[in-house]
Amino acid sequence: MMLVLVILLNIIGLIFKDVGALPCLTDELKTKFDAVRKALGVLQTSIDDKIESLQSDVKNKVKKIDDDMDTLVSDFQKRQWKKYNGHCYYYGNDKRTWFLAEQNCKQIGGNLAKIEDEAENKWIKDNRSEKDHYWIGLTDLNEGEWRWSSDQKVATYKPWHSGSGNNGVNYNCGLIYHTTSYTWVDEPCTSKLRYVCESHFCY
Ligand SMILES: [Ca+2]
Ligand SMILES: [Ca+2]
């Protein structure tokens, strides 16, 4: 399109050069004017069509984003995520291995919960729907180095139950213990347990 525009501008330049040199409008010059005018009309239509097409593309993309957001919000509401301190939590009561639990949390918009302090730990435990163990996002795939699945950061707050947290290379996933204490236990990742997901996205 730029090339067409440059050619047209050159033609227009030539015509105006001719106009300056001639005392009156000749038939030949009139024909050139008509031809340029027609070409400019075609160019304008082409630009108008392009703008219309771009506007339509942008409109469709905005609509898709709005629809995706609506779906996400409705999915959150359907799943009954619970809100605490700006984050949302989902208690999965279908028992899964740690890895499948983490996979499900990712599919629905989060990770297994990252518990950073006593208040969050207490809130998560108190809001469980069942008095049972729940996987959290803690693993020591490098033995003894407990990290959070959501950001791979080393865990600092770790309220291990007595005798837990150092049970060796076959016990690499963390869970909230089912007892009344607010403590955690390390467990083989292949055990099938309930789980708690956390998401930064809250509707
Ligand atoms: Ca957290
Ligand atoms: Ca371990």
Side-chain angles (χ1 to χ4, degrees):
M1 187 174 290
M2 277 305 292
L3 182 64
V4 175
L5 192 58
V6 169
I7 292 168
L8 282 169
L9 287 173
N10 278 330
I11 294 171
I12 292 167
L14 283 173
I15 288 170
F16 279 100
K17 201 172 138 219
D18 287 348
V19 169
L22 292 170
C24 60
L25 189 64
T26 63
D27 283 349
E28 189 193 352
L29 195 52
K30 170 111 181 28
T31 307
K32 279 185 183 173
F33 263 122
D34 288 347
V36 170
R37 202 175 188 303
K38 194 174 169 191
L40 282 173
V42 170
L43 184 64
Q44 184 177 5
T45 306
S46 164
I47 290 171
D48 288 348
D49 288 350
K50 192 73 192 163
I51 288 172
E52 200 173 313
S53 158
L54 283 171
Q55 279 174 333
S56 168
D57 279 358
V58 170
K59 202 172 155 189
N60 287 340
K61 285 194 168 77
V62 168
K63 186 172 182 317
K64 170 131 193 2
I65 288 169
D66 285 348
D67 288 349
D68 286 351
M69 183 55 80
D70 287 348
T71 306
L72 206 54
V73 168
S74 113
D75 186 61
F76 259 77
Q77 286 165 341
K78 255 189 291 181
R79 288 181 184 280
Q80 298 179 318
W81 290 73
K82 294 182 178 180
K83 199 170 182 178
Y84 165 75
N85 202 19
H87 287 189
C88 277
Y89 299 82
Y90 171 75
Y91 293 87
N93 289 310
D94 48 326
K95 296 185 179 180
R96 292 168 176 251
T97 64
W98 186 94
F99 293 102
L100 288 180
E102 171 69 358
Q103 192 180 68
N104 192 48
C105 288
K106 280 184 178 164
Q107 276 170 357
I108 61 175
N111 290 94
L112 281 168
K114 173 185 179 183
I115 305 178
E116 294 177 274
D117 56 37
E118 197 178 332
E120 186 181 16
N121 190 38
K122 185 171 185 312
W123 185 89
I124 289 177
K125 177 125 188 194
D126 289 345
N127 280 276
R128 287 172 307 164
S129 37
E130 302 296 329
K131 292 192 187 322
D132 200 354
H133 305 300
Y134 278 78
W135 285 130
I136 55 175
L138 201 57
T139 54
D140 75 331
L141 298 177
N142 183 18
E143 184 54 32
E145 192 178 275
W146 290 94
R147 289 180 182 271
W148 294 110
S149 58
S150 59
D151 56 12
Q152 288 306 308
K153 287 197 174 146
V154 172
T156 47
Y157 171 73
K158 290 174 290 184
W160 291 119
H161 197 74
S162 167
S164 295
N166 55 359
N167 283 311
V169 293
N170 293 322
Y171 290 72
N172 297 335
C173 288
L175 60 87
I176 292 177
Y177 204 32
H178 75 282
T179 61
T180 51
S181 67
Y182 292 90
T183 51
W184 303 348
V185 165
D186 52 347
E187 173 79 9
C189 303
T190 48
S191 295
K192 290 185 178 176
L193 302 174
R194 301 175 202 274
Y195 54 96
V196 55
C197 309
E198 178 178 354
S199 173
H200 293 197
F201 173 83
C202 273
Y203 55 86

